Amino acid sequence: MYINELLDAYKYEQRYIQDKQIAHDLNVLPNIISKMRKGVRYVTDEEAIFLAEGAGIDPEIALLGCHADRNDNPNVKAMWANIAKKYNGIGFQGVTAGLLGIVVAKDSVINPISQCVLSILC
């Protein structure tokens, strides 16, 4: 789900530790963030734009990802993915992979201890 990646990117950029800090910024109850992560409650367009801007992500990409998340119909999801492909030429999967890669790359530069911990755990 794209929303988890968007929430994580916002959390990282704001240097937050807990999801309740995101909830405070969005002016929602902390359990709402949990519901968003589980797919029980979807992010509104306004929330997606706010999170994207706070994470340094193009709001249009965030809207595409969130609209794709909202649809259970595989045909509709495919249409949103096709729109994303036309938008950036690499497809929605590339966008989410790129976003995750940026977050991981920034983290590895800023916090080398996390790389050490990951290598121990793996």
Side-chain angles (χ1 to χ4, degrees):
M1 287 177 33
Y2 179 79
I3 185 56
N4 287 326
E5 295 172 16
L6 183 59
L7 288 168
D8 289 339
Y10 179 82
K11 189 172 166 180
Y12 176 81
E13 285 298 319
Q14 300 301 314
R15 306 287 190 255
Y16 288 162
I17 297 169
Q18 298 178 330
D19 283 349
K20 69 180 180 179
Q21 294 168 296
I22 300 171
H24 182 268
D25 289 352
L26 290 175
N27 199 27
V28 297
L29 296 173
N31 69 334
I32 298 296
I33 303 298
S34 177
K35 288 180 180 180
M36 287 176 182
R37 288 193 180 277
K38 293 176 185 174
V40 174
R41 182 204 185 263
Y42 295 112
V43 178
T44 66
D45 291 343
E46 292 80 12
E47 291 167 341
I49 291 168
F50 176 82
L51 292 169
E53 289 173 346
I57 299 168
D58 184 353
E60 292 177 356
I61 299 276
L63 288 173
L64 283 171
C66 292
H67 278 272
D69 277 354
R70 290 180 190 157
N71 289 287
D72 293 328
N73 183 328
N75 293 329
V76 176
K77 273 194 185 248
M79 287 182 198
W80 279 112
N82 192 32
I83 292 169
K85 282 181 190 176
K86 290 177 184 175
Y87 182 83
N88 65 3
I90 59 172
F92 183 67
Q93 303 248 331
V95 170
T96 56
L99 172 63
L100 187 59
I102 290 169
V103 171
V104 169
K106 283 184 179 178
D107 190 42
S108 66
V109 170
I110 294 173
N111 193 356
I113 295 172
S114 65
Q115 293 299 318
C116 180
V117 171
L118 284 175
S119 65
I120 292 170
L121 292 175
C122 294

